[in-house]
Amino acid sequence: MSAHDDFMRRAIALARQGMAGGHGGPFGAVIVREGRIVGEGHNRVLSACDPTAHAEVTAIRDAAGKEQTFDLSGTTIYVNGMPCPMCMAAIFWARIDCVYYACGPEDAEAIGFDDDEFYRQLAKPPGERSVPAIQMPEFVEEARGAYAAWAALPAKVPY
């Protein structure tokens, strides 16, 4: 039995724990650095009344808080199901190096979690999505002012 096995089994145990506690769907995640768990979480969408409280996001928040950094480079995340588009984006933003998962999207779809529609929507031009993103060109220059102020900050921390 490998360490990979132990980490995946912990993610699955967290999924069961969260589900049994009524926190949300059957999803769990652990984040590992150099062979030790630095963050873990399970789905808390229902208990937190937070649609972003997926297992991966709660594990990222846990790891980032414990390590006091937004940059989780050098870590690996283990999840019992393939991350949804939101969670994959969070994994990219956190700079996590690798994702190990057990169940594929078809398994999640079989229990009522269909991420395919999100992928279909994201593939469309922003204005043609079911939730359209509509640019307000009359505010571009004003908004760019905030961007320029950020770019000019001498002590900014890039991320």
Side-chain angles (χ1 to χ4, degrees):
M1 190 152 87
S2 74
H4 288 301
D5 297 345
D6 293 338
F7 299 137
M8 184 57 74
R9 284 199 173 92
R10 178 63 183 155
I12 294 167
L14 287 164
R16 290 178 174 278
Q17 176 186 328
M19 181 186 61
H23 296 280
F27 306 102
V30 297
I31 298 175
V32 175
R33 181 187 300 283
E34 297 174 356
R36 67 179 181 82
I37 295 174
V38 296
E40 58 183 30
H42 56 72
N43 185 293
R44 294 179 178 274
V45 169
L46 300 178
S47 62
C49 296
D50 179 355
T52 68
H54 290 197
E56 298 89 336
V57 172
T58 61
I60 288 168
R61 291 173 181 164
D62 186 47
K66 287 177 178 172
E67 298 217 325
Q68 289 295 289
T69 182
F70 57 84
D71 185 344
L72 297 176
S73 296
T75 64
T76 300
I77 189 167
Y78 294 81
V79 295
N80 65 306
M82 169 69 112
C84 73
M86 177 187 72
C87 291
M88 279 307 304
I91 288 165
F92 288 133
W93 274 108
R95 312 290 195 275
I96 293 172
D97 293 357
C98 186
V99 178
Y100 287 93
Y101 67 96
C103 294
E106 66 282 358
D107 298 306
E109 183 180 355
I111 61 166
F113 295 91
D114 184 6
D115 294 340
D116 279 344
E117 179 58 20
F118 298 129
Y119 286 108
R120 283 190 293 274
Q121 290 296 321
L122 289 170
K124 294 179 180 182
E128 295 177 17
R129 296 174 185 159
S130 63
V131 178
I134 302 165
Q135 186 176 24
M136 297 177 69
E138 65 272 24
F139 289 99
V140 170
E141 287 308 312
E142 187 176 339
R144 283 183 182 153
Y147 286 14
W150 167 262
L153 281 176
K156 72 177 165 283
V157 177
Y159 60 95

